[in-house]
Amino acid sequence: MSGMRGMAAAGGGGGGRGRVSGGDADAQRALNATAPKIPHLFRRIVELFAPHRMAIVVTIVLVLAGAALTVIPPLLTERAFDQGLFPKGGEPNLPVLVEIVVLMLVVFVVSALLGVWQTYLTASVGNKVMGALRVRLFSHLQSMELSFFTHTKTGIIQSRLQNDVGGVANVLTNTMSSILGNTVTVIAALVAMLLLNWQLTIVAVVLMPILVIAQRRVGQVRARIATKTQESLSDMTAITQETLSVSGILLSKSFNRQGAEVERYSDENRNQIRLQVSQAMSGQWFFAMVNIFLSSIPAIVYLVSGWLIAGGSTDISAGTIVAFTTVQARLLFPLLALMRVALDLQTSGALFARIFEYLDLRPAIADRPDAVPVDPNRELGRIEFDHVVFRYPDAREGERNTLDDVSFVIRPGEFAAFVGPSGAGKTTVSYLIPRFYDATSGHIRFGDTDVKDLQQESLVSHIGVVSQETYLFHATIAENLRYARPDATDAEIEDAARRANIHETIVGFPDGYRTVVGERGYRLSGGEKQRIAIARVLLKDPEVLILDEATSALDTISERVVQQALDTASSGRTTIAIAHRLSTIVAADVIFVIDHGKVVERGTHRELLELGGVYSRLYREQTESAVVED
C-alpha cells in the first residue's frame, strides 16, 4: 500500500490540544475545588502505621522503659548525697556510695542500649511508612485520567510527591517515640518531684498552662507559613522542570531568554528564602522565653528552699535540693521537645493535608465494578462510534461540542483515516477509543462491547499508539523497546526493529542497542525516534493501531522511510490514522472527514474527490501548495 498503510499523528488534533491549555492557576483552583476537605487528619496519619503494629508495640515498650529509667539517677543522687557522701552524724559511707554508683552505671548502660534499639525501630518504621506513602501517592497519580495531567504542571505534581512527603519525614520517623518517651519522662519527673517535695513542685510548674496556650498559637502561625513554603517549593520545582528540560533549554536559548528564566527562578528563590527564615524564626521567641523560665527554676528553687528552711516550715536536706533540681533539669528538655513536637505536628498537618488532598482525588475514568476483560473470541479490531457526543471537562458554557453526534464503524483489519481542518476534533477520536477520555454521551464499542464495560488495562493492551510527539526515556534503545514487552528476547527486539526499518541504523551506532538515546531521545533524529516508536508498537503487537500524525513533522526523506515502516506496522491489523497530509492516506479503505465536530463526509479517496466537498477542497489546497513549493 503506497501511501502509508499507517499514517501517524498525535498532536495534530486541535480539538485535543486546544481544550487542555488554559491557566495553571485556574487548573489548580479547579483541582482544589474537587478535592474534599480532609477530616480526621490525625486518624488518617495513625492508619499509615497499621501494617507495623508489632514493631510499634516493641518501640512503645522500649520508650516506656527508657523513660522510666531516666528518673532513677536523680533518686539515686539523693541517696548518694544523704546516705553516701553526707550521712547524718558520720563520715562518708563508701560501701553504700559504691553500690549507688554501680547502680547508676548499670542504668546508664541499659538506657543507652535501649535507646539504640529504639532508634533503629523508629527509623525503620518511619521510613517504611514514608516510602509506602510515596508509592501510594505515585500509584494513585498513575490512575488519574489524562485531563488531570493536562491541567496541572508536572513540577507541582513532583513537588507533592517529593517535597511534601519528604517534609513529613521527621514526623513519621520520630514523632511517635518522641511523644511517648518525653510524655513518660515528664510524668515520671513530676511524680519524682512530688515525692521529693510538693511545695517546690508547685513553684516549678505554676506557669506551665500559660506556656501550653502560647505554644498552640505559635503552631497555628507556623502551619500557615508551612503551607506557603510548600506552595513556593512547588513553584520552584515547576520552574526547574520546565526550564531545565531539554525542550525548555532549547526554547530559552532560541529566544535568548536565559536571563529572564534566571530572574524568574531568583524571584521565587528569594520568596522561598523569606518563607524558610520566617518558618525557622516562628516560635523562637516563644522557645527563648520557655528556656529562660525553665532554666531559672533551679535558682528559684534555691531561694524558696531557703525561705522554707529559714521559716522552719519544712525539713529539706541538701540531697533533696540537689535531687530536685536534677529532676527538674531532666524535665526541661523533654518538655521543650514535647512543645516542639506539637509545633511540628501542626506544621506537618498542612503537608499531610496537601498529600491527602491528592489521595482523595477520584479518577474521572475508572473500571466499573462489573467490568470484564476483552473477549479474544469476539470481533477484535472492530471499532464503532454510536451517536457520540464529547465536550472537554473545561469547555466554557456556550462553546460547541468537540464531537457532535458522531457515528461510524471500522471493521477488523480495515485502514481508516480521519481528516479535516485543524481543530475539527480528529485527535479527540483517537483519545476516546482507549478511554483516555470518556464520551459525554453515546456509545463507543470495541468489538461488540461498550468500552465502559471493559477493563481499561485489558482494552489498552489491544491498542497501540504512534504519535507525532514520540517519547523516549533517557535509557538505552533496547530498554526503550522493552517498555512495550519487558519479557521480550533480544531476537524479538531485533525482529521488531527490522520490520520498523531501524535495525541497520541501530547496529551502525558504536554501542548498538545499548546506545543511550538521551532525554526524550534528543540524541536521535526525528525519523529515527519515530521508527523506534514503531518498533516498540510492533513488539506490543496490538490488534488496533492508532497513528496520530506520525510523519507530519518529518522531512521528505525521513517521511518516506517512516511510512515504509508504518506500512509494515499496519499490515494485518485495524489501523486508524489521524492525517494532516492527505497524500499519505489516499490508499485508505475508508476516509472520514470531520469538520466542526461532525463527520461530514465518508468514502474512499476517489469517491470523496468526486463528491467535491470538504475533502476535495483540502486535497486541492495541499496539492497546489506542494506544486508551489517545488
Side-chain angles (χ1 to χ4, degrees):
M1 189 171 290
S2 61
M4 158 186 142
R5 238 261 175 192
M7 173 56 207
R17 218 166 1 223
R19 298 300 185 275
V20 298
S21 59
D24 290 303
D26 292 339
Q28 193 61 34
R29 280 194 294 271
L31 172 65
N32 292 336
T34 59
K37 301 300 180 183
I38 309 300
H40 313 303
L41 188 60
F42 179 74
R43 176 181 57 79
R44 299 188 68 175
I45 296 172
V46 170
E47 287 174 354
L48 297 174
F49 291 87
H52 308 280
R53 293 185 183 90
M54 184 55 66
I56 291 172
V57 169
V58 175
T59 302
I60 291 173
V61 172
L62 294 175
V63 168
L64 295 176
L69 287 174
T70 61
V71 182
I72 296 177
L75 299 178
L76 292 174
T77 299
E78 181 186 29
R79 286 190 58 197
F81 268 81
D82 293 343
Q83 300 176 23
L85 289 171
F86 309 109
K88 292 181 180 180
E91 296 294 323
N93 189 333
L94 291 180
V96 171
L97 196 57
V98 169
E99 179 185 338
I100 292 172
V101 170
V102 170
L103 285 174
M104 280 185 168
L105 292 175
V106 170
V107 169
F108 293 149
V109 171
V110 172
S111 181
L113 293 175
L114 292 179
V116 171
W117 191 5
Q118 173 201 318
T119 300
Y120 169 76
L121 287 176
T122 53
S124 298
V125 171
N127 282 284
K128 287 177 182 178
V129 170
M130 184 176 66
L133 181 61
R134 185 181 286 119
V135 171
R136 179 181 167 190
L137 181 57
F138 183 84
S139 175
H140 186 69
L141 289 170
Q142 286 282 335
S143 72
M144 294 302 294
E145 71 280 3
L146 182 62
S147 63
F148 170 80
F149 298 96
T150 60
H151 284 74
T152 312
K153 286 183 178 179
T154 304
I156 290 176
I157 296 173
Q158 290 175 343
S159 182
R160 298 261 177 141
L161 194 59
Q162 298 170 7
N163 297 332
D164 289 3
V165 176
V168 300
N170 183 61
V171 172
L172 292 175
T173 54
N174 298 320
T175 298
M176 180 187 66
S177 61
S178 180
I179 291 176
L180 283 172
N182 290 313
T183 298
V184 173
T185 301
V186 168
I187 293 173
L190 288 172
V191 170
M193 289 164 65
L194 286 169
L195 291 174
L196 289 168
N197 190 279
W198 65 269
Q199 295 102 322
L200 296 180
T201 302
I202 293 175
V203 172
V205 302
V206 65
L207 294 179
M208 294 298 178
I210 298 176
L211 297 180
V212 172
I213 294 172
Q215 172 267 324
R216 184 177 180 183
R217 295 296 300 274
V218 172
Q220 292 171 344
V221 173
R222 291 189 68 178
R224 288 195 294 269
I225 296 175
T227 300
K228 293 180 181 179
T229 302
Q230 293 305 115
E231 290 172 353
S232 174
L233 274 176
S234 295
D235 291 338
M236 289 187 70
T237 304
I239 293 172
T240 302
Q241 190 274 332
E242 289 174 352
T243 58
L244 295 185
S245 65
V246 174
S247 301
I249 287 293
L250 283 174
L251 184 65
S252 64
K253 287 183 178 294
S254 299
F255 288 90
N256 197 26
R257 296 285 293 174
Q258 298 99 313
E261 294 297 347
V262 171
E263 185 60 31
R264 183 161 73 110
Y265 187 83
S266 297
D267 288 343
E268 195 56 53
N269 186 54
R270 283 190 288 270
N271 184 42
Q272 178 65 204
I273 292 172
R274 178 183 61 79
L275 289 168
Q276 290 283 5
V277 170
S278 297
Q279 187 169 339
M281 290 304 298
S282 61
Q284 290 307 305
W285 285 109
F286 166 73
F287 282 114
M289 296 299 294
V290 172
N291 207 1
I292 292 172
F293 167 71
L294 294 177
S295 299
S296 302
I297 289 179
I300 297 173
V301 166
Y302 298 147
L303 180 61
V304 172
S305 298
W307 284 341
L308 292 174
I309 294 172
S313 60
T314 186
D315 182 18
I316 301 177
S317 67
T320 299
I321 296 173
V322 172
F324 189 92
T325 53
T326 302
V327 174
Q328 187 275 322
R330 291 183 178 276
L331 178 67
L332 168 64
F333 295 107
L335 198 58
L336 282 173
L338 279 176
M339 290 184 175
R340 290 188 182 277
V341 167
L343 288 179
D344 288 343
L345 284 175
Q346 286 179 275
T347 302
S348 298
L351 305 187
F352 275 114
R354 286 166 56 85
I355 295 169
F356 288 132
E357 181 183 47
Y358 264 28
L359 288 174
D360 286 341
L361 291 174
R362 285 291 154 270
I365 298 175
D367 288 345
R368 291 174 173 172
D370 57 348
V372 296
V374 173
D375 187 347
N377 298 317
R378 299 297 177 92
E379 281 190 289
L380 288 182
R382 183 181 187 276
I383 306 295
E384 179 184 359
F385 275 47
D386 183 7
H387 298 286
V388 170
V389 175
F390 178 76
R391 286 173 61 86
Y392 280 93
D394 61 342
R396 296 179 178 85
E397 187 176 353
E399 190 174 357
R400 68 173 177 82
N401 295 327
T402 305
L403 295 179
D404 191 4
D405 196 26
V406 171
S407 296
F408 61 80
V409 175
I410 301 172
R411 296 174 178 82
E414 201 167 45
F415 175 35
F418 289 83
V419 302
S422 178
K426 305 184 297 296
T427 292
T428 301
V429 172
S430 69
Y431 287 161
L432 294 178
I433 296 171
R435 285 194 74 196
F436 294 159
Y437 290 91
D438 269 342
T440 306
S441 65
H443 298 278
I444 300 169
R445 297 184 179 91
F446 188 86
D448 58 358
T449 307
D450 194 306
V451 294
K452 292 181 180 179
D453 294 326
L454 295 172
Q455 295 171 359
Q456 192 174 12
E457 184 177 342
S458 176
L459 172 65
V460 172
S461 69
H462 293 275
I463 300 172
V465 180
V466 179
S467 66
Q468 174 185 353
E469 209 171 309
T470 299
Y471 190 93
L472 298 179
F473 296 101
H474 185 73
T476 66
I477 292 174
E479 288 170 333
N480 272 283
L481 292 174
R482 275 201 175 91
Y483 192 75
R485 258 184 59 207
D487 60 343
T489 64
D490 291 342
E492 289 171 328
I493 287 176
E494 183 177 324
D495 177 64
R498 287 183 184 279
R499 287 186 287 148
N501 257 351
I502 190 64
H503 172 71
E504 297 302 328
T505 302
I506 294 174
V507 296
F509 295 142
D511 295 325
Y513 282 87
R514 296 182 180 178
T515 301
V516 177
V517 301
E519 185 179 356
R520 299 181 66 89
Y522 270 93
R523 293 183 61 187
L524 305 176
S525 70
E528 289 167 346
K529 287 193 294 184
Q530 285 295 68
R531 282 178 284 160
I532 287 176
I534 294 167
R536 187 162 58 188
V537 168
L538 286 171
L539 202 59
K540 182 180 181 181
D541 194 24
E543 284 79 9
V544 175
L545 181 62
I546 298 175
L547 305 168
D548 193 358
E549 308 240 25
T551 64
S552 63
L554 302 179
D555 58 76
T556 304
I557 296 176
S558 296
E559 179 185 2
R560 188 177 302 117
V561 175
V562 171
Q563 281 187 351
Q564 291 173 357
L566 289 172
D567 286 343
T568 301
S570 60
S571 178
R573 68 186 89 233
T574 303
T575 302
I576 298 169
I578 313 300
H580 171 70
R581 296 179 184 174
L582 303 186
S583 60
T584 62
I585 48 88
V586 293
D589 297 316
V590 60
I591 300 171
F592 298 97
V593 183
I594 298 182
D595 192 15
H596 292 91
K598 295 178 178 291
V599 175
V600 294
E601 298 172 7
R602 68 185 73 197
T604 63
H605 170 71
R606 182 179 299 277
E607 291 170 345
L608 293 176
L609 285 181
E610 293 174 353
L611 187 63
V614 176
Y615 181 85
S616 177
R617 175 175 56 80
L618 290 173
Y619 187 78
R620 185 173 60 254
E621 290 173 353
Q622 288 191 13
T623 304
E624 292 173 353
S625 175
V627 171
V628 171
E629 290 178 3
D630 291 341

